[in-house]
Amino acid sequence: MMRFNLLPQKYQSHFKDEIMARIFYTVTLFILTWMVVLGILVFASFQFLLVQNALVAERIAGAQSVREIAEAEEFEEKIVELNRLLLRVEEIKNTEGYDAGFLLGHLAPMVPAGSNLKKFTYSTSGNKLFLEGRADLRTQVITLQNRLESDPLFVKVDYPFSNLLKAENVDFSFTLTLAEK
């Protein structure tokens, strides 16, 4: 079957141009429509992923917060336990009397040059302190005795007279009663 175009030449080219313009218009409209649809899909996907990312970040922050809270509670329990132990130590210190380190630190500057302590005994039950030592001269023992008697930490200073018998290389001892805390 044969087809003939009986339109005049002038209308044929105009008709062809019009058909081409409609095809171009349709294809352009089709492409633009699909670009808009795909753009909307991409935008929606992007927004969905942003929301998902924010939710995951929130979950991670929540998990870290729970972990930090647990660590803080554990740390707080340790602090409470240490405070309880410190209160117990304070209670023991109060019932036991003076700290031996404090007493030794308090006595050390009182001992004159040329003399030394050999024995330092602290009895918490009687709140007494026993000192034994050696001095090069009797005057050093007398100096130590005067310093001990003038110190308000000691309410009573007992000593044997043998502390004063020798003039040189004197072995001395003192029994000190401590003031109540």
Side-chain angles (χ1 to χ4, degrees), residues 9 19 21 26 29-30 46 51 56 66 73 76 80 87 89 125 129 134-136 144 148 166 173 178-179:
Q9 188 68 21
I19 289 176
T26 306
L29 190 60
F30 178 79
F46 183 73
V51 169
V56 168
V66 167
E73 287 175 350
E76 188 175 342
V80 168
L87 288 173
V89 167
S125 60
L129 188 62
R134 184 172 188 85
D136 293 338
L144 178 60
L148 292 172
K166 292 169 65 178
S173 66
L178 296 164

Side-chain angles (χ1 to χ4, degrees), residues 149-178:
E149 287 175 339
S150 65
D151 194 321
L153 183 64
F154 309 113
V155 292
K156 185 176 178 188
V157 178
D158 292 324
Y159 52 90
F161 287 111
S162 62
N163 285 358
L164 305 173
L165 292 178
K166 292 169 65 178
E168 294 181 351
N169 295 326
V170 180
D171 289 322
F172 63 85
S173 66
F174 291 97
T175 302
L176 309 169
T177 304
L178 296 164

Side-chain angles (χ1 to χ4, degrees), residues 1-7 12:
M1 166 158 100
M2 236 176 160
R3 294 187 183 179
F4 293 104
N5 192 353
L6 301 174
L7 287 174
Q12 283 182 6

